[in-house]
């Protein structure tokens, strides 16, 4: 059987290599997306460097520009920059398909050569069998990995965390810092909360609601929270 398959190794070996590389690309993308999705389920304590950099960059942008108006674009830019050994996810996705097509092309050339040389059908059929099996493996693994679906899940998790958790926490923490340092007056929204620094007396004068020592302790706690 092996003698039949590898009668023309100059064709069969490249076909198998191209199909293997295509499958490896699919599996690599699936593993990357799966790990990121698992990490995004607990973003507050993630150890993934890429996600930590995302959180740091988002926090910096919020502090410099007082918030980000379109978080979805911020997340899309992050996803587009995801790489595996220097190749972006979109590049690997297209590369995987091109490798399969190239393997079919080589298989067709091998079959045509066999027909031209008037070889027996038994030596030509393996090219067609390998091509069909390669296409089946490619589409079945592609369907199982479901890169588009995993990227959409990853995008949803990141937008949810940045918009509903991290952005609100940064905003509240910045407000607390300003109130503790006396940089912003208390607003009606702030009154009645633990973060109010001044209270209006009946005489119309302001008196600090926190002592100097308490303010320093609260400020140090907030700095540790932001770190």
């Amino acid at each position: 059987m092996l003698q039949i398959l590898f009668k023309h190794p100059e064709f069969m070996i490249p076909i198998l290599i191209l199909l293997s590389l295509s499958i490896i690309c699919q599996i690599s993308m699936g593993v990357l997306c799966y790990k990121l999705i698992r990490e995004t389920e607990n973003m507050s304590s993630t150890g993934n460097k890429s996600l930590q950099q995302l959180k740091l960059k988002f926090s910096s942008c919020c502090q410099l520009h007082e918030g980000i108006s379109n978080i979805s674009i911020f997340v899309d830019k992050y996803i587009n920059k995801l790489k595996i050994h220097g190749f972006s996810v979109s590049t690997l996705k297209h590369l995987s398909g091109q490798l399969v097509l190239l393997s079919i092309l080589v298989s067709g050339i091998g079959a045509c050569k066999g027909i031209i040389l008037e070889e027996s059908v038994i030596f030509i059929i393996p090219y067609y069998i390998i091509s069909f099996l390669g296409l089946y493996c490619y589409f079945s693994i592609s369907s199982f990995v479901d890169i588009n679906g995993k990227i959409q899940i990853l995008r949803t998790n990141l937008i949810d965390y940045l918009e509903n958790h991290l952005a609100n926490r940064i905003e509240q923490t910045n407000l607390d810092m300003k109130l503790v340092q006396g940089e912003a007056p208390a607003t009606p929204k702030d009154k009645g909360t633990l973060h109010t620094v001044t209270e209006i007396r009946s005489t119309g004068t302001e008196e600090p609601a926190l002592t100097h020592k308490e303010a320093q302790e609260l400020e140090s706690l907030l700095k540790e929270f932001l770190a």
Side-chain angles (χ1 to χ4, degrees):
M1 184 65 181
L2 291 178
Q3 292 178 350
I4 296 174
L5 287 175
F6 292 97
K7 182 178 180 180
H8 298 288
E10 68 275 13
F11 291 110
M12 193 58 66
I13 291 178
I15 291 171
L16 295 176
I17 291 175
L18 291 172
L19 290 174
S20 299
L21 291 175
S22 176
I23 293 173
I24 290 173
C25 289
Q26 291 283 341
I27 295 175
S28 299
M29 290 185 291
V31 171
L32 174 65
C33 292
Y34 174 77
K35 287 183 178 180
L36 290 175
I37 291 173
R38 188 175 59 182
E39 290 291 335
T40 54
E41 293 176 355
N42 191 16
M43 281 285 289
S44 58
S45 60
T46 181
N48 187 279
K49 292 184 179 180
S50 178
L51 294 176
Q52 289 177 345
Q53 292 175 355
L54 173 68
K55 291 168 59 177
L56 180 61
K57 184 177 180 180
F58 182 82
S59 301
S60 301
C61 291
C62 285
Q63 293 174 356
L64 291 175
H65 305 290
E66 297 183 354
I68 297 178
S69 59
N70 200 331
I71 297 178
S72 60
I73 293 179
F74 183 86
V75 172
D76 288 338
K77 291 175 66 177
Y78 165 77
I79 293 176
N80 291 335
K81 292 180 180 179
L82 290 176
K83 292 185 177 181
I84 302 176
H85 300 296
F87 295 95
S88 65
V89 173
S90 60
T91 300
L92 282 178
K93 186 177 179 181
H94 294 300
L95 180 62
S96 178
Q98 294 299 319
L99 289 173
V100 170
L101 293 178
L102 187 58
S103 69
I104 295 174
L105 176 62
V106 175
S107 179
I109 294 173
C112 290
K113 182 180 179 180
I115 294 173
I116 293 172
L117 297 176
E118 298 182 353
E119 293 181 349
S120 175
V121 176
I122 196 173
F123 295 108
I124 298 175
I125 287 179
Y127 292 109
Y128 295 98
I129 294 176
I130 293 297
S131 297
F132 288 132
L133 289 177
L135 287 173
Y136 174 77
C137 291
Y138 172 79
F139 286 111
S140 61
I141 293 176
S142 178
S143 177
F144 176 77
V145 173
D146 190 17
I147 300 299
N148 291 332
K150 283 184 170 57
I151 288 179
Q152 185 61 39
I153 295 174
L154 176 62
R155 183 176 184 273
T156 302
N157 290 351
L158 289 175
I159 292 176
D160 175 65
Y161 174 76
L162 296 179
E163 185 173 355
N164 299 325
H165 297 81
L166 188 58
N168 294 334
R169 188 173 68 181
I170 293 173
E171 181 181 355
Q172 184 61 49
T173 304
N174 289 336
L175 177 62
D176 292 343
M177 289 292 293
K178 290 180 180 180
L179 292 174
V180 168
Q181 295 173 355
E183 296 178 2
T187 62
K189 182 180 179 180
D190 297 324
K191 292 180 180 180
T193 65
L194 295 175
H195 306 295
T196 304
V197 178
T198 60
E199 58 182 2
I200 307 301
R201 284 188 171 186
S202 59
T203 58
T205 59
E206 296 182 356
E207 178 180 318
L210 297 175
T211 64
H212 180 68
K213 182 178 180 181
E214 291 174 341
Q216 287 182 339
E217 292 178 354
L218 182 55
E219 183 177 355
S220 63
L221 288 173
L222 290 173
K223 288 181 178 179
E224 292 179 0
F225 177 76
L226 284 173

